[in-house]
Amino acid sequence: MLRDVTLDVSEGEFVAILGASGCGKSTLLRILAGLETADAGEVLIGDRRVDALPPKARDLAMVFQSYALYPYMTVGQNIALPLEMRRMSAIQRIPVLGRIWSGAARQAIAADVAAVAAPLGLAPLLARKPAQLSGGQRQRVALARAMVRSPAAFLMDEPLSNLDARLRAEARAEIVALTRRLGVTTLYVTHDQGEAMAMADRVAVMQAGRVLQLAPPQELYDEPASLEVARFIGSPPMNALPAHVGEDGAVMVGDVRLPWLSPARGPVMLGVRPEGWVPAGHGIPGVIALIEHLGAETLCHLEGGAVLRLAPDAARGMLAGQALRLAVRKAVLFGPDGRRLPLQAALREAALG
């Protein structure tokens, strides 16, 4: 169930709709496509209201998680189908066009198919049937079929979820490059935050039928609008530490004074990304419970659940059970209702941690 969802997407923009299973992201996409009907509200494409129009009248191309390819058609025929359907519709309206259907029109369709197939690596596969393709190749055919007719917008519902990690990374780069080149508005549903953050101009984070925040990827990461968003975005997610704002506006974690002031007073939560704090001589105390060496980075899991991200050299010599102090270099503050609060740098004489 969707609850008071408002989503305004600019022409040519790539917006990812991100959320866990059951949050309503696919329902939202299906309402836009006309496959489901909303109980209230409007759907507009440009300045045209379309919520009363059938799917075929909305000029939207949808790509599903399932490939939905016709098994008896070749790859080329599957890709060409939207163009042929459009041409056949035109012939029915204007019978004289039927005389050029087997000539110039068919050549134009073949050229369009070739143009979209090449960058997706499908040119050598145009004569094959879907049963002769891998899962990744089938998904690329479904993408090509959606892209070939240059619709008003692409609606993509978890299109890469059936691909392995390597193919997924390749395919997402291809999708972004093609949509940029075509300049077509794209709404892309995914549960994979890495995919959303890498591909989209803006990301809409959904939870329980609501859009929690719609913002560029870096803004979502650095300035989450709420504790819900902060805990959802990032891997590992943002650490949330109980804190307190005194009468002088100073932000305190226990008896440690941090280098920020806030107009709030009383109990708050301090949000710190794993890379937002560093070991120091003075600061917030912690004890290492577990160390993960991941090659390019090292994650130190602290007792209580917080996580510290370090470069491998900075983590060298650290051991489980070791006590340390952490200076906070970058943070976000949240109120008792979970919403982000203003936070400003204090004077430099306030000790860092």
Side-chain angles (χ1 to χ4, degrees):
M1 178 184 295
L2 301 180
R3 296 187 286 169
D4 299 323
V5 172
T6 298
L7 196 64
D8 188 3
V9 181
S10 301
E11 184 176 358
E13 189 177 21
F14 193 121
V15 170
I17 303 172
L18 174 66
S21 297
C23 73
K25 56 189 186 295
S26 291
T27 299
L28 175 58
L29 208 69
R30 292 175 66 83
I31 288 173
L32 296 175
L35 302 177
E36 293 187 22
T37 303
D39 297 325
E42 300 177 341
V43 178
L44 293 96
I45 300 177
D47 57 359
R48 183 174 64 121
R49 184 171 176 179
V50 301
D51 40 283
L53 298 179
K56 66 180 181 180
R58 300 190 184 193
D59 192 26
L60 302 173
M62 193 156 184
V63 181
F64 297 94
Q65 180 178 349
S66 60
Y67 315 121
L69 302 179
Y70 291 97
Y72 56 87
M73 291 183 174
T74 65
V75 168
Q77 290 168 337
N78 268 285
I79 297 173
L81 187 61
L83 300 180
E84 293 187 350
M85 295 296 291
R86 180 182 292 177
R87 169 59 67 172
M88 291 302 296
S89 177
I91 291 172
Q92 290 169 5
R93 291 195 304 269
I94 311 173
V96 71
L97 290 177
R99 290 180 299 181
I100 63 170
W101 171 241
S102 60
R106 193 166 293 280
Q107 291 176 6
I109 288 174
D112 288 342
V113 169
V116 76
L120 287 171
L122 296 174
L125 309 177
L126 291 177
R128 295 187 187 180
K129 299 286 183 66
Q132 299 172 289
L133 305 179
S134 68
Q137 290 168 334
R138 292 178 196 176
Q139 190 62 77
R140 280 183 276 162
V141 175
L143 288 168
R145 185 176 58 188
M147 294 174 172
V148 74
R149 63 183 182 86
S150 298
F154 295 134
L155 306 180
M156 301 189 182
D157 191 1
E158 304 270 11
L160 306 181
S161 59
N162 290 330
L163 305 185
D164 62 38
R166 182 182 62 81
L167 281 176
R168 190 182 303 124
E170 293 176 0
R172 77 186 188 191
E174 291 166 352
I175 290 173
V176 171
L178 281 166
T179 54
R180 292 282 186 273
R181 190 183 72 196
L182 297 173
V184 178
T185 306
T186 304
L187 280 86
Y188 187 101
V189 161
T190 181
H191 67 276
D192 185 328
Q193 62 175 279
E195 200 167 271
M197 302 284 274
M199 298 175 72
D201 299 314
R202 290 190 296 162
V203 179
V205 179
M206 289 193 68
Q207 187 178 92
R210 297 180 297 128
V211 174
L212 301 181
Q213 187 174 359
L214 173 62
Q218 199 61 48
E219 182 179 329
L220 278 179
Y221 191 82
D222 292 336
E223 302 175 18
S226 68
L227 196 52
E228 292 171 302
V229 176
R231 285 172 165 162
F232 186 77
I233 296 294
S235 181
M238 180 175 279
N239 300 300
L241 310 177
H244 186 274
V245 180
E247 289 303 317
D248 61 353
V251 181
M252 307 284 294
V253 176
D255 60 355
V256 178
R257 181 186 178 99
L258 300 179
W260 295 289
L261 299 173
S262 173
R265 296 293 183 270
V268 293
M269 295 296 288
L270 186 76
V272 184
R273 291 290 179 196
E275 66 278 5
W277 51 5
V278 293
H282 302 279
I284 299 171
V287 176
I288 299 174
L290 172 69
I291 298 178
E292 289 184 289
H293 299 285
L294 304 178
E297 64 181 16
T298 298
L299 299 180
C300 298
H301 297 260
L302 308 182
E303 292 182 2
V307 180
L308 166 67
R309 176 184 279 124
L310 294 172
D313 288 345
R316 186 170 287 116
M318 289 187 171
L319 299 170
Q322 177 180 337
L324 72 170
R325 293 269 177 171
L326 299 168
V328 182
R329 293 190 167 180
K330 190 172 184 180
V332 184
L333 203 63
F334 302 99
D337 62 356
R339 295 184 181 179
R340 182 161 53 90
L341 297 171
L343 195 63
Q344 64 186 50
L347 297 176
R348 290 310 304 169
E349 49 264 30
L352 177 61

